[in-house]
Amino acid sequence: MKEIGKIWMNGKLVPFKDAKVHVLTHALHYSTSIFEGIRCYNTPNGSAIFRLPEHVDRFFKSAKLYSMKMQFSKKEISNAIIKTTKSSGLKECYIRPLAYYGYGMMGLTPTQNKVDVSIACWAWKMGESKAGKFSGAKCKVSSWIKIDSRSQPMQAKAAANYSNAALARIEALENGYDEAIMLNYSGKVVEGSAENIFIVKDNIIQTPPLSAGLLEGITRDSVIQIIEENGGFVIERDLERDDLYTADEIFMTGTAAEVKSVTQVDKVKIGNGKMGNITKALQKSFTNAVMGKDERFLPWLTFI
Ligand SMILES: Cc1ncc(COP(=O)(O)O)c(C=O)c1O
């Protein structure tokens, strides 16, 4: 981690190395935190944050699901994200807003503790998440089942959801794969460990519905809108593991991953084992959108 710029903590920008919390911070013990992952792109017209209002909305939705009393309004958080990004001096970066139950009472009940908020950013270049971007990712169907909303609110982007995802990621990497694909308790495909998933079969693009238990990805929504604006459509339906193996193309979407190709699932080659044409075309359209080169999607950019 390159320590560049400052980190916003409860309203103040502090030097990167001084952004510290107490070891008795509630969230460190009980995973009582929620967060966002946002990108700022270096477009030909200057740095722009991608879909900032949607990320801030999801941040507040996540907080609500954990009964967090935010000390800041959406406007204040949006302004703080812009301020932190600008102060970093980075032209393109990843931005991480975090809200967590802080230091105070120790014990399971979090709600008596103050909700602290921080915003950090770090360098991240377009196309930096390697596997799948230029070649194709090899994915393993995880033996860890995706937890679901019978246990905790899965529409929250909450730290508590990510131990399950991290175990799946570790298992995939330890077995020589690049990424995990998670199934739910009914055996239906949900998503990657930190990306949504799409398949293409006979030129029909399909993706699991929210009811499968996935995070409502902002990149997922962007890609669906791009496809629809270009005259196509996406079918949302439950996907079986078989649908993965027999797909012509598979791609994943996420803020970090952008649009990444999957060319192998378990030991099965997908399509001809190379990045598919629809995936390639979507990567291009998505890049054009985030770089401000497609006028139809300019409202998605907040120039800073
Ligand atoms: C579990 C999970 N699913 C999907 C996504 C993709 O969401 P987004 O496109 O909003 O980054 C992410 C990343 O945030 C994630 O962590």
Side-chain angles (χ1 to χ4, degrees), residues 44-303:
N45 293 317
S47 292
I49 299 177
F50 187 64
R51 303 201 71 178
L52 177 60
E54 290 83 355
H55 280 284
V56 171
D57 281 348
R58 191 170 65 182
F59 190 58
F60 276 75
K61 177 162 102 176
S62 302
K64 184 173 186 191
L65 287 165
Y66 277 81
S67 302
M68 287 179 167
K69 289 192 192 76
M70 296 284 263
Q71 353 159 22
F72 303 98
S73 65
K74 284 187 182 178
K75 181 111 192 72
E76 286 169 325
I77 293 295
S78 300
N79 287 342
I81 289 170
I82 294 169
K83 190 173 168 186
T84 312
T85 310
K86 271 184 170 170
S87 82
S88 76
L90 293 165
K91 292 197 160 49
E92 55 189 343
C93 60
Y94 184 88
I95 309 162
R96 168 56 56 81
L98 172 76
Y100 56 98
Y101 282 106
Y103 171 65
M105 300 288 281
M106 240 322 164
L108 179 60
T109 313
T111 41
Q112 45 213 344
N113 288 12
K114 191 167 135 243
V115 174
D116 291 318
V117 183
S118 66
I119 302 164
C121 50
W122 55 85
W124 199 315
K125 289 197 170 63
M126 174 104 213
E128 197 165 318
S129 58
K130 292 164 203 73
K133 184 73 190 170
F134 303 112
S135 51
K138 291 188 291 178
C139 293
K140 180 183 191 315
V141 174
S142 185
S143 69
W144 296 106
I145 302 298
K146 179 87 187 179
I147 45 169
D148 67 28
S149 53
R150 287 172 293 183
S151 303
Q152 50 200 46
M154 299 309 291
Q155 284 304 311
K157 193 167 165 61
N161 302 349
Y162 284 88
S163 50
N164 181 236
L167 286 168
R169 171 75 65 80
I170 290 168
E171 181 190 55
L173 296 184
E174 286 182 350
N175 283 281
Y177 293 87
D178 303 308
E179 180 55 296
I181 294 174
M182 303 197 72
L183 307 182
N184 62 23
Y185 283 101
S186 306
K188 310 293 180 196
V189 176
V190 186
E191 59 186 344
S193 56
E195 313 90 354
N196 294 120
I197 190 165
F198 291 73
I199 68 162
V200 184
K201 181 71 186 166
D202 298 331
N203 291 320
I204 297 179
I205 307 173
Q206 304 164 50
T207 196
L210 296 187
S211 57
L214 46 98
L215 181 75
E216 191 172 4
I218 290 164
T219 320
R220 175 184 184 272
D221 174 69
S222 308
V223 162
I224 292 173
Q225 286 197 49
I226 288 171
I227 293 166
E228 290 177 349
E229 279 289 324
N230 289 342
F233 62 93
V234 175
I235 292 179
E236 291 192 30
R237 74 168 182 94
D238 274 323
L239 298 176
E240 308 292 338
R241 188 172 185 162
D242 320 30
D243 293 314
L244 298 175
Y245 294 154
T246 56
D248 301 325
E249 296 182 32
I250 299 180
F251 61 90
M252 288 176 154
T253 61
T255 295
E258 300 171 320
V259 178
K260 81 176 180 190
S261 156
V262 174
T263 50
Q264 185 182 321
V265 177
D266 299 328
K267 293 294 170 197
V268 181
K269 203 199 274 183
I270 303 307
N272 62 7
K274 298 209 173 82
M275 189 185 304
N277 290 336
I278 291 180
T279 306
K280 225 180 263 174
L282 271 172
Q283 270 188 352
K284 191 159 184 265
S285 309
F286 182 75
T287 303
N288 284 340
V290 300
M291 295 303 279
K293 290 181 182 165
D294 188 330
E295 283 204 348
R296 295 171 299 172
F297 305 114
L298 275 179
W300 286 348
L301 301 180
T302 301
F303 287 92

